[in-house]
Every structure is written in structure tokens, then in C-alpha cells.
Amino acid sequence: MKTLELEINSKLSALLKHQFPERGLLSNFLTKLLNMDKVNVYRRVQNIVPFTLAEAVMIVKHTDIPFNSIFDTSEDKYRSHSYQFYWQDFKNMNEKDIKMGEDYITAIRLAAMDEDAEFGIAMNNLPLHVTAMYPSLYRFFMLKWMHEFSDKGEKYRYCDIQIPNFLLEQQKRYLDACRRVKHTVYISDETILSRMLRDIKYFYEIKLITEKEIEVMKNDLQDLVSKIEKYAITGCYPNGAEIDIYTTGLTFETTYTYLYSSTVKVSMAEVYTSGSMSSVDASACEHMRKWMQALKRTSVRITDSEKNRIKYLENQYRDLEKFVV
């Protein structure tokens, strides 16, 4: 196989293996799609013989693999990585939105099988899998999204937001998958809670949320802070997976996440509340991972540190106690 053919085929094979991580799924998919026996599928996936152009085009049409990610083999002139924009339309959820969530859950579960797997989150707001623990907070997350993306003159109140059962169930699976990863690092902008309370007050002032609804969210936020306290003391989730919590005085432009294991390397930056710029490029993931490692050195670790933990939590409880609308 020529060098260029090998490079293109290797890219396509790697992207297919990432999209179909579970054993048997990829060979079954290609056997059916390409009308090919499993021996020839195996030879293509293992780079023994190349996919033809027609086969590659057919694969791209029936997967989420971008065409240019396979055929762009030029050497980069700049220090750049390939990121793609993904987002979910909560107002008009369809099969693609649901599949995107399921694919990510599958990737997390696959990574969690690795004893050295690592989840890193540097956040400037509560991440989705945290709000998913509390329906009241998840509804507020969706209210913000609806408010940002609603058509002119269209208004949604908090009480109008009904979360479909299938989405609640998917978020539970997402939360469960995240907690299976053997080691998780949270680096939190220390103003996250106060900014969320400010957002809640804004929606109250424009009459899209009531005092009674705010009280429910406030109680859930108090419970969340209690959970953070518990995790900071024990240093692990109830299932034993390690968790490290840091706070920083730095303000992030957005929330950054990476998932790092021997089989899965994903990095993401949050965009437009519900979307993300995502990459499965290993070097992009490594770059973000190194950045967070450096960020830890300038942050305050509250896990297993009584003095730091007490100071941080006192501030959070005080913000909640003082909050009135």
C-alpha cells in the first residue's frame, strides 16, 4: 500500500473504531453497508488492503465521520487541531440528537474500562452531568437554552419546560458512565455558584420563574454543595472512583473537558450552552490535558485539605443563604 493510501486508510479505520467501539459492531456495520464478507472487512479495517474511494464515500454518508477529516493529509502550517461543532436542539429533539448523546455515553463507558482512564473538567458553570442529578437545575439549564435560541417574540417560562422521560433516562446513564471513570479532576472557577444565582435572579426579574420554583432550585443547590463537601472529604464517588476537586480565582472563557484513556481520547470546549467544539484527535486531547495539569499547580486543592475545603464551602453556603430575589 502506498504511503498516501496508508495514511488515508489509517485515518478512516481509526475514526470507524472510535465511532463503533463495542466488539462486533464495526464489522457488522461494514459487512451490511458494503455488502462484503467479514474477511474483506477485516483486511480493510486492519490496513492490509485499502478502502476504495467509493467505499469511503459510502461510509461517510452513513456515519458522522467528516469527509475532510479523512482526505486532508496536508501538513499543518500552524499549531492547530481539528475541532467540530456539535449541538443538540432541545426544542426539536430528533434521532441525531439522541444518537449523539448515546455515542458519547458509549465512548465514556469504553474509556472507563481502562484502569488509567482520566476525566478532566475545567468549568465556568455547572457541567451537564452535575445538573442532571437535579431535575430542577436541569430544567433551568434548558430554560437558558430556550431563552437564547427562541424565535423573536417567543417566550418560555420555567413552568413550561417539560423534560422528556427518555432525556432524563439518558442523562442518568451519562452520569453513571462519568462516575465509572477511575479518576476525575474538577477545576472550578470559584464564582460558579454566585454567577448561577445571578442568572436565576435575572429570569425572576423578567418574570419567567417564580419564587416557589427558585426555592426548589436553592434547596437542590444546597444539597449539591453538601455532596461536594462529602466528595472533597472522601476523595471518591460512592463506587470508589477517585475524584479531585480544585478551585481557582481564574475565570475561564467556557467549560473545557477531556476524556483520556488508552482507547478513547476526546477533548471538548462548550459552545452555546448545549453545544461543544469536539475533537477525537489524540494530540488535541493531550494538549488540553497538559493545560489542565498546569492549571492544577496554580489552583487550590480542596480534596483532602480541611482548611481549603472549609473556606471554600463556607463561601458557597454563605452565597446561598444571602440569596434573595
Side-chain angles (χ1 to χ4, degrees), residues 85-130:
F85 175 48
Y86 296 93
W87 73 297
Q88 288 179 300
D89 186 346
F90 289 115
K91 194 164 59 171
N92 301 296
M93 292 284 285
N94 61 26
E95 289 183 7
K96 285 188 177 180
D97 293 307
I98 297 166
K99 184 179 183 300
M100 183 169 66
E102 292 298 331
D103 286 347
Y104 189 41
I105 291 168
T106 299
I108 297 171
R109 285 176 175 167
L110 179 66
M113 295 169 66
D114 185 344
E115 288 296 322
D116 296 320
E118 193 176 282
F119 217 152
I121 307 173
M123 52 192 181
N124 74 344
N125 57 34
L126 292 178
L128 186 57
H129 70 269
V130 172

mmCIF file of all heavy atoms in Angstrom, residues 85-130:
data_model
loop_
_atom_site.group_PDB
_atom_site.id
_atom_site.type_symbol
_atom_site.label_atom_id
_atom_site.label_comp_id
_atom_site.label_asym_id
_atom_site.label_seq_id
_atom_site.Cartn_x
_atom_site.Cartn_y
_atom_site.Cartn_z
ATOM 1 N N PHE A 85 -18.044 21.266 15.461
ATOM 2 C CA PHE A 85 -19.116 21.837 16.272
ATOM 3 C C PHE A 85 -20.289 20.864 16.337
ATOM 4 O O PHE A 85 -20.813 20.439 15.317
ATOM 5 C CB PHE A 85 -19.560 23.169 15.667
ATOM 6 C CG PHE A 85 -20.742 23.788 16.374
ATOM 7 C CD1 PHE A 85 -20.776 23.897 17.752
ATOM 8 C CD2 PHE A 85 -21.822 24.269 15.645
ATOM 9 C CE1 PHE A 85 -21.855 24.471 18.397
ATOM 10 C CE2 PHE A 85 -22.906 24.847 16.282
ATOM 11 C CZ PHE A 85 -22.925 24.951 17.664
ATOM 12 N N TYR A 86 -20.676 20.481 17.568
ATOM 13 C CA TYR A 86 -21.845 19.623 17.794
ATOM 14 C C TYR A 86 -22.800 20.348 18.727
ATOM 15 O O TYR A 86 -22.363 20.990 19.683
ATOM 16 C CB TYR A 86 -21.438 18.298 18.453
ATOM 17 C CG TYR A 86 -20.542 17.419 17.617
ATOM 18 C CD1 TYR A 86 -19.163 17.492 17.740
ATOM 19 C CD2 TYR A 86 -21.076 16.521 16.704
ATOM 20 C CE1 TYR A 86 -18.324 16.685 16.980
ATOM 21 C CE2 TYR A 86 -20.252 15.710 15.938
ATOM 22 C CZ TYR A 86 -18.882 15.791 16.079
ATOM 23 O OH TYR A 86 -18.066 14.996 15.328
ATOM 24 N N TRP A 87 -24.102 20.234 18.451
ATOM 25 C CA TRP A 87 -25.063 20.807 19.388
ATOM 26 C C TRP A 87 -26.373 20.036 19.322
ATOM 27 O O TRP A 87 -26.685 19.377 18.340
ATOM 28 C CB TRP A 87 -25.290 22.287 19.125
ATOM 29 C CG TRP A 87 -26.098 22.592 17.897
ATOM 30 C CD1 TRP A 87 -25.786 22.309 16.605
ATOM 31 C CD2 TRP A 87 -27.378 23.235 17.855
ATOM 32 N NE1 TRP A 87 -26.769 22.731 15.759
ATOM 33 C CE2 TRP A 87 -27.763 23.311 16.495
ATOM 34 C CE3 TRP A 87 -28.233 23.762 18.818
ATOM 35 C CZ2 TRP A 87 -28.958 23.880 16.093
ATOM 36 C CZ3 TRP A 87 -29.422 24.341 18.422
ATOM 37 C CH2 TRP A 87 -29.780 24.391 17.071
ATOM 38 N N GLN A 88 -27.137 20.114 20.427
ATOM 39 C CA GLN A 88 -28.436 19.455 20.499
ATOM 40 C C GLN A 88 -29.544 20.501 20.502
ATOM 41 O O GLN A 88 -29.425 21.522 21.186
ATOM 42 C CB GLN A 88 -28.534 18.599 21.768
ATOM 43 C CG GLN A 88 -27.685 17.349 21.731
ATOM 44 C CD GLN A 88 -27.788 16.555 23.020
ATOM 45 O OE1 GLN A 88 -27.464 17.042 24.089
ATOM 46 N NE2 GLN A 88 -28.234 15.325 22.916
ATOM 47 N N ASP A 89 -30.593 20.240 19.745
ATOM 48 C CA ASP A 89 -31.754 21.125 19.700
ATOM 49 C C ASP A 89 -32.800 20.594 20.678
ATOM 50 O O ASP A 89 -33.559 19.685 20.357
ATOM 51 C CB ASP A 89 -32.318 21.173 18.274
ATOM 52 C CG ASP A 89 -33.438 22.185 18.130
ATOM 53 O OD1 ASP A 89 -33.958 22.653 19.161
ATOM 54 O OD2 ASP A 89 -33.802 22.510 16.991
ATOM 55 N N PHE A 90 -32.822 21.154 21.885
ATOM 56 C CA PHE A 90 -33.731 20.646 22.915
ATOM 57 C C PHE A 90 -35.194 20.909 22.583
ATOM 58 O O PHE A 90 -36.079 20.250 23.112
ATOM 59 C CB PHE A 90 -33.387 21.262 24.273
ATOM 60 C CG PHE A 90 -32.096 20.755 24.844
ATOM 61 C CD1 PHE A 90 -31.023 21.597 25.021
ATOM 62 C CD2 PHE A 90 -31.956 19.426 25.189
ATOM 63 C CE1 PHE A 90 -29.824 21.127 25.544
ATOM 64 C CE2 PHE A 90 -30.765 18.939 25.704
ATOM 65 C CZ PHE A 90 -29.701 19.796 25.878
ATOM 66 N N LYS A 91 -35.440 21.886 21.720
ATOM 67 C CA LYS A 91 -36.827 22.214 21.374
ATOM 68 C C LYS A 91 -37.393 21.219 20.372
ATOM 69 O O LYS A 91 -38.589 20.926 20.375
ATOM 70 C CB LYS A 91 -36.879 23.637 20.813
ATOM 71 C CG LYS A 91 -38.280 24.204 20.725
ATOM 72 C CD LYS A 91 -38.273 25.715 20.535
ATOM 73 C CE LYS A 91 -37.549 26.138 19.280
ATOM 74 N NZ LYS A 91 -37.733 27.586 18.984
ATOM 75 N N ASN A 92 -36.536 20.713 19.496
ATOM 76 C CA ASN A 92 -36.973 19.755 18.468
ATOM 77 C C ASN A 92 -36.011 18.569 18.428
ATOM 78 O O ASN A 92 -35.307 18.363 17.439
ATOM 79 C CB ASN A 92 -37.016 20.442 17.099
ATOM 80 C CG ASN A 92 -37.952 21.632 17.068
ATOM 81 O OD1 ASN A 92 -39.158 21.479 17.234
ATOM 82 N ND2 ASN A 92 -37.401 22.821 16.881
ATOM 83 N N MET A 93 -35.993 17.809 19.501
ATOM 84 C CA MET A 93 -35.081 16.664 19.583
ATOM 85 C C MET A 93 -35.419 15.637 18.503
ATOM 86 O O MET A 93 -36.589 15.328 18.279
ATOM 87 C CB MET A 93 -35.187 16.006 20.954
ATOM 88 C CG MET A 93 -34.672 16.852 22.101
ATOM 89 S SD MET A 93 -32.871 16.913 22.176
ATOM 90 C CE MET A 93 -32.495 15.306 22.831
ATOM 91 N N ASN A 94 -34.391 15.139 17.834
ATOM 92 C CA ASN A 94 -34.619 14.082 16.851
ATOM 93 C C ASN A 94 -33.620 12.944 17.080
ATOM 94 O O ASN A 94 -32.864 12.954 18.053
ATOM 95 C CB ASN A 94 -34.528 14.632 15.422
ATOM 96 C CG ASN A 94 -33.154 15.215 15.113
ATOM 97 O OD1 ASN A 94 -32.138 14.836 15.712
ATOM 98 N ND2 ASN A 94 -33.105 16.139 14.165
ATOM 99 N N GLU A 95 -33.606 11.989 16.178
ATOM 100 C CA GLU A 95 -32.756 10.803 16.357
ATOM 101 C C GLU A 95 -31.271 11.147 16.404
ATOM 102 O O GLU A 95 -30.503 10.518 17.125
ATOM 103 C CB GLU A 95 -33.032 9.802 15.231
ATOM 104 C CG GLU A 95 -34.391 9.117 15.343
ATOM 105 C CD GLU A 95 -34.607 8.081 14.258
ATOM 106 O OE1 GLU A 95 -33.639 7.806 13.502
ATOM 107 O OE2 GLU A 95 -35.720 7.548 14.158
ATOM 108 N N LYS A 96 -30.866 12.162 15.635
ATOM 109 C CA LYS A 96 -29.459 12.555 15.620
ATOM 110 C C LYS A 96 -29.034 13.105 16.984
ATOM 111 O O LYS A 96 -27.932 12.830 17.464
ATOM 112 C CB LYS A 96 -29.197 13.589 14.530
ATOM 113 C CG LYS A 96 -29.177 13.006 13.126
ATOM 114 C CD LYS A 96 -28.735 14.035 12.114
ATOM 115 C CE LYS A 96 -28.635 13.418 10.718
ATOM 116 N NZ LYS A 96 -28.188 14.419 9.709
ATOM 117 N N ASP A 97 -29.918 13.921 17.601
ATOM 118 C CA ASP A 97 -29.608 14.472 18.921
ATOM 119 C C ASP A 97 -29.452 13.349 19.941
ATOM 120 O O ASP A 97 -28.536 13.359 20.769
ATOM 121 C CB ASP A 97 -30.730 15.418 19.381
ATOM 122 C CG ASP A 97 -30.817 16.676 18.533
ATOM 123 O OD1 ASP A 97 -29.790 17.353 18.388
ATOM 124 O OD2 ASP A 97 -31.900 16.969 18.017
ATOM 125 N N ILE A 98 -30.367 12.388 19.892
ATOM 126 C CA ILE A 98 -30.334 11.268 20.844
ATOM 127 C C ILE A 98 -29.099 10.397 20.600
ATOM 128 O O ILE A 98 -28.406 10.006 21.535
ATOM 129 C CB ILE A 98 -31.624 10.429 20.713
ATOM 130 C CG1 ILE A 98 -32.849 11.288 21.076
ATOM 131 C CG2 ILE A 98 -31.556 9.194 21.609
ATOM 132 C CD1 ILE A 98 -34.169 10.681 20.666
ATOM 133 N N LYS A 99 -28.816 10.129 19.313
ATOM 134 C CA LYS A 99 -27.663 9.283 18.974
ATOM 135 C C LYS A 99 -26.354 9.924 19.418
ATOM 136 O O LYS A 99 -25.437 9.237 19.898
ATOM 137 C CB LYS A 99 -27.630 9.016 17.474
ATOM 138 C CG LYS A 99 -26.509 8.056 17.044
ATOM 139 C CD LYS A 99 -26.527 7.812 15.551
ATOM 140 C CE LYS A 99 -25.459 6.794 15.143
ATOM 141 N NZ LYS A 99 -24.093 7.205 15.467
ATOM 142 N N MET A 100 -26.258 11.259 19.288
ATOM 143 C CA MET A 100 -25.039 11.947 19.705
ATOM 144 C C MET A 100 -24.777 11.712 21.187
ATOM 145 O O MET A 100 -23.646 11.416 21.597
ATOM 146 C CB MET A 100 -25.160 13.451 19.418
ATOM 147 C CG MET A 100 -23.899 14.229 19.758
ATOM 148 S SD MET A 100 -23.947 15.926 19.124
ATOM 149 C CE MET A 100 -25.281 16.612 20.107
ATOM 150 N N GLY A 101 -25.845 11.815 22.000
ATOM 151 C CA GLY A 101 -25.700 11.564 23.428
ATOM 152 C C GLY A 101 -25.326 10.124 23.721
ATOM 153 O O GLY A 101 -24.454 9.853 24.557
ATOM 154 N N GLU A 102 -25.954 9.183 23.023
ATOM 155 C CA GLU A 102 -25.670 7.763 23.249
ATOM 156 C C GLU A 102 -24.247 7.396 22.838
ATOM 157 O O GLU A 102 -23.579 6.603 23.506
ATOM 158 C CB GLU A 102 -26.680 6.894 22.476
ATOM 159 C CG GLU A 102 -28.112 6.984 22.994
ATOM 160 C CD GLU A 102 -28.252 6.511 24.433
ATOM 161 O OE1 GLU A 102 -27.471 5.639 24.875
ATOM 162 O OE2 GLU A 102 -29.156 7.028 25.123
ATOM 163 N N ASP A 103 -23.776 7.984 21.733
ATOM 164 C CA ASP A 103 -22.408 7.701 21.279
ATOM 165 C C ASP A 103 -21.388 8.174 22.308
ATOM 166 O O ASP A 103 -20.368 7.507 22.551
ATOM 167 C CB ASP A 103 -22.142 8.371 19.931
ATOM 168 C CG ASP A 103 -22.842 7.670 18.778
ATOM 169 O OD1 ASP A 103 -23.318 6.540 18.989
ATOM 170 O OD2 ASP A 103 -22.912 8.250 17.677
ATOM 171 N N TYR A 104 -21.659 9.329 22.915
ATOM 172 C CA TYR A 104 -20.725 9.850 23.908
ATOM 173 C C TYR A 104 -20.737 8.981 25.166
ATOM 174 O O TYR A 104 -19.692 8.705 25.756
ATOM 175 C CB TYR A 104 -21.070 11.300 24.242
ATOM 176 C CG TYR A 104 -20.030 11.987 25.100
ATOM 177 C CD1 TYR A 104 -18.665 11.805 24.869
ATOM 178 C CD2 TYR A 104 -20.398 12.825 26.146
ATOM 179 C CE1 TYR A 104 -17.708 12.428 25.641
ATOM 180 C CE2 TYR A 104 -19.444 13.457 26.935
ATOM 181 C CZ TYR A 104 -18.107 13.259 26.675
ATOM 182 O OH TYR A 104 -17.158 13.870 27.457
ATOM 183 N N ILE A 105 -21.917 8.520 25.559
ATOM 184 C CA ILE A 105 -22.021 7.617 26.712
ATOM 185 C C ILE A 105 -21.229 6.337 26.446
ATOM 186 O O ILE A 105 -20.501 5.839 27.312
ATOM 187 C CB ILE A 105 -23.499 7.294 27.017
ATOM 188 C CG1 ILE A 105 -24.219 8.535 27.561
ATOM 189 C CG2 ILE A 105 -23.614 6.152 28.035
ATOM 190 C CD1 ILE A 105 -25.725 8.399 27.630
ATOM 191 N N THR A 106 -21.359 5.806 25.226
ATOM 192 C CA THR A 106 -20.617 4.587 24.848
ATOM 193 C C THR A 106 -19.108 4.822 24.928
ATOM 194 O O THR A 106 -18.356 3.972 25.423
ATOM 195 C CB THR A 106 -21.005 4.144 23.424
ATOM 196 O OG1 THR A 106 -22.407 3.855 23.391
ATOM 197 C CG2 THR A 106 -20.237 2.901 23.014
ATOM 198 N N ALA A 107 -18.669 5.992 24.449
ATOM 199 C CA ALA A 107 -17.239 6.312 24.487
ATOM 200 C C ALA A 107 -16.735 6.403 25.929
ATOM 201 O O ALA A 107 -15.643 5.918 26.246
ATOM 202 C CB ALA A 107 -16.982 7.627 23.757
ATOM 203 N N ILE A 108 -17.527 6.999 26.809
ATOM 204 C CA ILE A 108 -17.130 7.130 28.220
ATOM 205 C C ILE A 108 -17.043 5.750 28.868
ATOM 206 O O ILE A 108 -16.095 5.449 29.591
ATOM 207 C CB ILE A 108 -18.116 8.027 28.995
ATOM 208 C CG1 ILE A 108 -18.102 9.449 28.435
ATOM 209 C CG2 ILE A 108 -17.757 8.061 30.486
ATOM 210 C CD1 ILE A 108 -19.193 10.345 28.990
ATOM 211 N N ARG A 109 -18.034 4.900 28.594
ATOM 212 C CA ARG A 109 -18.016 3.546 29.174
ATOM 213 C C ARG A 109 -16.816 2.752 28.679
ATOM 214 O O ARG A 109 -16.210 1.985 29.436
ATOM 215 C CB ARG A 109 -19.320 2.827 28.814
ATOM 216 C CG ARG A 109 -20.522 3.316 29.623
ATOM 217 C CD ARG A 109 -21.786 2.640 29.157
ATOM 218 N NE ARG A 109 -22.932 2.998 29.989
ATOM 219 C CZ ARG A 109 -24.186 2.751 29.674
ATOM 220 N NH1 ARG A 109 -24.463 2.139 28.528
ATOM 221 N NH2 ARG A 109 -25.162 3.104 30.496
ATOM 222 N N LEU A 110 -16.478 2.930 27.395
ATOM 223 C CA LEU A 110 -15.316 2.232 26.851
ATOM 224 C C LEU A 110 -14.041 2.720 27.539
ATOM 225 O O LEU A 110 -13.192 1.917 27.943
ATOM 226 C CB LEU A 110 -15.229 2.472 25.351
ATOM 227 C CG LEU A 110 -14.055 1.817 24.626
ATOM 228 C CD1 LEU A 110 -14.176 0.298 24.667
ATOM 229 C CD2 LEU A 110 -13.983 2.297 23.174
ATOM 230 N N ALA A 111 -13.921 4.029 27.710
ATOM 231 C CA ALA A 111 -12.741 4.593 28.378
ATOM 232 C C ALA A 111 -12.665 4.117 29.826
ATOM 233 O O ALA A 111 -11.575 3.850 30.343
ATOM 234 C CB ALA A 111 -12.799 6.120 28.326
ATOM 235 N N ALA A 112 -13.827 3.997 30.481
ATOM 236 C CA ALA A 112 -13.857 3.615 31.898
ATOM 237 C C ALA A 112 -13.327 2.206 32.146
ATOM 238 O O ALA A 112 -12.983 1.867 33.284
ATOM 239 C CB ALA A 112 -15.283 3.744 32.435
ATOM 240 N N MET A 113 -13.250 1.394 31.099
ATOM 241 C CA MET A 113 -12.706 0.039 31.250
ATOM 242 C C MET A 113 -11.192 0.067 31.472
ATOM 243 O O MET A 113 -10.607 -0.917 31.899
ATOM 244 C CB MET A 113 -13.056 -0.795 30.013
ATOM 245 C CG MET A 113 -14.550 -1.018 29.843
ATOM 246 S SD MET A 113 -14.989 -1.728 28.223
ATOM 247 C CE MET A 113 -14.232 -3.345 28.362
ATOM 248 N N ASP A 114 -10.575 1.195 31.154
ATOM 249 C CA ASP A 114 -9.131 1.373 31.332
ATOM 250 C C ASP A 114 -8.858 1.840 32.758
ATOM 251 O O ASP A 114 -9.410 2.849 33.201
ATOM 252 C CB ASP A 114 -8.640 2.418 30.315
ATOM 253 C CG ASP A 114 -7.134 2.596 30.332
ATOM 254 O OD1 ASP A 114 -6.488 2.165 31.306
ATOM 255 O OD2 ASP A 114 -6.607 3.179 29.370
ATOM 256 N N GLU A 115 -8.007 1.124 33.483
ATOM 257 C CA GLU A 115 -7.696 1.483 34.873
ATOM 258 C C GLU A 115 -7.032 2.851 34.987
ATOM 259 O O GLU A 115 -7.091 3.484 36.041
ATOM 260 C CB GLU A 115 -6.780 0.416 35.501
ATOM 261 C CG GLU A 115 -7.477 -0.906 35.787
ATOM 262 C CD GLU A 115 -8.588 -0.776 36.830
ATOM 263 O OE1 GLU A 115 -8.406 -0.015 37.800
ATOM 264 O OE2 GLU A 115 -9.634 -1.440 36.670
ATOM 265 N N ASP A 116 -6.399 3.311 33.916
ATOM 266 C CA ASP A 116 -5.713 4.607 33.948
ATOM 267 C C ASP A 116 -6.526 5.718 33.293
ATOM 268 O O ASP A 116 -6.006 6.806 33.025
ATOM 269 C CB ASP A 116 -4.349 4.503 33.241
ATOM 270 C CG ASP A 116 -3.418 3.546 33.970
ATOM 271 O OD1 ASP A 116 -3.417 3.560 35.210
ATOM 272 O OD2 ASP A 116 -2.704 2.779 33.288
ATOM 273 N N ALA A 117 -7.810 5.454 33.032
ATOM 274 C CA ALA A 117 -8.665 6.453 32.387
ATOM 275 C C ALA A 117 -8.783 7.701 33.261
ATOM 276 O O ALA A 117 -8.767 7.628 34.489
ATOM 277 C CB ALA A 117 -10.046 5.865 32.116
ATOM 278 N N GLU A 118 -8.944 8.835 32.597
ATOM 279 C CA GLU A 118 -8.963 10.122 33.308
ATOM 280 C C GLU A 118 -9.978 11.059 32.665
ATOM 281 O O GLU A 118 -10.052 11.168 31.444
ATOM 282 C CB GLU A 118 -7.558 10.716 33.224
ATOM 283 C CG GLU A 118 -7.286 11.872 34.144
ATOM 284 C CD GLU A 118 -5.817 12.292 34.018
ATOM 285 O OE1 GLU A 118 -4.963 11.602 34.606
ATOM 286 O OE2 GLU A 118 -5.556 13.283 33.307
ATOM 287 N N PHE A 119 -10.768 11.709 33.509
ATOM 288 C CA PHE A 119 -11.735 12.707 33.082
ATOM 289 C C PHE A 119 -11.271 14.035 33.652
ATOM 290 O O PHE A 119 -11.030 14.136 34.861
ATOM 291 C CB PHE A 119 -13.102 12.358 33.676
ATOM 292 C CG PHE A 119 -14.270 12.623 32.781
ATOM 293 C CD1 PHE A 119 -15.433 11.880 32.908
ATOM 294 C CD2 PHE A 119 -14.236 13.622 31.825
ATOM 295 C CE1 PHE A 119 -16.527 12.108 32.104
ATOM 296 C CE2 PHE A 119 -15.325 13.855 31.006
ATOM 297 C CZ PHE A 119 -16.473 13.098 31.144
ATOM 298 N N GLY A 120 -11.113 15.064 32.838
ATOM 299 C CA GLY A 120 -10.712 16.377 33.333
ATOM 300 C C GLY A 120 -11.724 17.426 32.931
ATOM 301 O O GLY A 120 -12.139 17.472 31.770
ATOM 302 N N ILE A 121 -12.140 18.264 33.879
ATOM 303 C CA ILE A 121 -13.119 19.311 33.598
ATOM 304 C C ILE A 121 -12.666 20.612 34.254
ATOM 305 O O ILE A 121 -12.505 20.676 35.476
ATOM 306 C CB ILE A 121 -14.522 18.947 34.120
ATOM 307 C CG1 ILE A 121 -14.967 17.586 33.606
ATOM 308 C CG2 ILE A 121 -15.539 20.020 33.721
ATOM 309 C CD1 ILE A 121 -16.263 17.084 34.209
ATOM 310 N N ALA A 122 -12.439 21.641 33.446
ATOM 311 C CA ALA A 122 -12.187 22.993 33.947
ATOM 312 C C ALA A 122 -13.428 23.799 33.612
ATOM 313 O O ALA A 122 -13.721 24.024 32.432
ATOM 314 C CB ALA A 122 -10.952 23.590 33.278
ATOM 315 N N MET A 123 -14.178 24.199 34.628
ATOM 316 C CA MET A 123 -15.541 24.677 34.358
ATOM 317 C C MET A 123 -15.791 26.105 34.834
ATOM 318 O O MET A 123 -15.313 26.521 35.880
ATOM 319 C CB MET A 123 -16.552 23.726 34.993
ATOM 320 C CG MET A 123 -16.315 23.433 36.449
ATOM 321 S SD MET A 123 -17.332 22.040 37.001
ATOM 322 C CE MET A 123 -16.855 21.969 38.738
ATOM 323 N N ASN A 124 -16.576 26.810 34.006
ATOM 324 C CA ASN A 124 -17.023 28.137 34.402
ATOM 325 C C ASN A 124 -18.533 28.154 34.655
ATOM 326 O O ASN A 124 -19.129 29.188 34.874
ATOM 327 C CB ASN A 124 -16.646 29.178 33.346
ATOM 328 C CG ASN A 124 -17.515 29.102 32.103
ATOM 329 O OD1 ASN A 124 -18.204 28.100 31.871
ATOM 330 N ND2 ASN A 124 -17.485 30.144 31.298
ATOM 331 N N ASN A 125 -19.149 26.960 34.586
ATOM 332 C CA ASN A 125 -20.541 26.784 35.014
ATOM 333 C C ASN A 125 -20.730 25.324 35.404
ATOM 334 O O ASN A 125 -19.832 24.508 35.215
ATOM 335 C CB ASN A 125 -21.536 27.190 33.902
ATOM 336 C CG ASN A 125 -21.311 26.426 32.619
ATOM 337 O OD1 ASN A 125 -20.931 25.254 32.641
ATOM 338 N ND2 ASN A 125 -21.526 27.075 31.493
ATOM 339 N N LEU A 126 -21.882 25.008 35.956
ATOM 340 C CA LEU A 126 -22.119 23.628 36.366
ATOM 341 C C LEU A 126 -22.203 22.739 35.128
ATOM 342 O O LEU A 126 -23.007 23.006 34.233
ATOM 343 C CB LEU A 126 -23.420 23.512 37.160
ATOM 344 C CG LEU A 126 -23.428 24.167 38.535
ATOM 345 C CD1 LEU A 126 -24.804 24.008 39.194
ATOM 346 C CD2 LEU A 126 -22.361 23.574 39.439
ATOM 347 N N PRO A 127 -21.382 21.692 35.039
ATOM 348 C CA PRO A 127 -21.434 20.821 33.863
ATOM 349 C C PRO A 127 -22.743 20.050 33.803
ATOM 350 O O PRO A 127 -23.416 19.843 34.823
ATOM 351 C CB PRO A 127 -20.241 19.887 34.060
ATOM 352 C CG PRO A 127 -19.928 19.922 35.508
ATOM 353 C CD PRO A 127 -20.349 21.275 36.002
ATOM 354 N N LEU A 128 -23.092 19.610 32.596
ATOM 355 C CA LEU A 128 -24.374 18.957 32.359
ATOM 356 C C LEU A 128 -24.577 17.743 33.249
ATOM 357 O O LEU A 128 -25.670 17.520 33.770
ATOM 358 C CB LEU A 128 -24.482 18.563 30.881
ATOM 359 C CG LEU A 128 -25.818 17.998 30.417
ATOM 360 C CD1 LEU A 128 -26.950 18.972 30.696
ATOM 361 C CD2 LEU A 128 -25.763 17.683 28.927
ATOM 362 N N HIS A 129 -23.535 16.925 33.453
ATOM 363 C CA HIS A 129 -23.747 15.710 34.244
ATOM 364 C C HIS A 129 -23.888 16.016 35.733
ATOM 365 O O HIS A 129 -24.268 15.142 36.503
ATOM 366 C CB HIS A 129 -22.649 14.675 33.981
ATOM 367 C CG HIS A 129 -21.303 15.017 34.498
ATOM 368 N ND1 HIS A 129 -20.374 15.680 33.749
ATOM 369 C CD2 HIS A 129 -20.721 14.780 35.684
ATOM 370 C CE1 HIS A 129 -19.267 15.835 34.445
ATOM 371 N NE2 HIS A 129 -19.446 15.297 35.622
ATOM 372 N N VAL A 130 -23.619 17.272 36.150
ATOM 373 C CA VAL A 130 -23.900 17.683 37.521
ATOM 374 C C VAL A 130 -25.359 18.147 37.633
ATOM 375 O O VAL A 130 -26.087 17.732 38.535
ATOM 376 C CB VAL A 130 -22.944 18.806 37.966
ATOM 377 C CG1 VAL A 130 -23.371 19.373 39.320
ATOM 378 C CG2 VAL A 130 -21.517 18.269 38.059
#
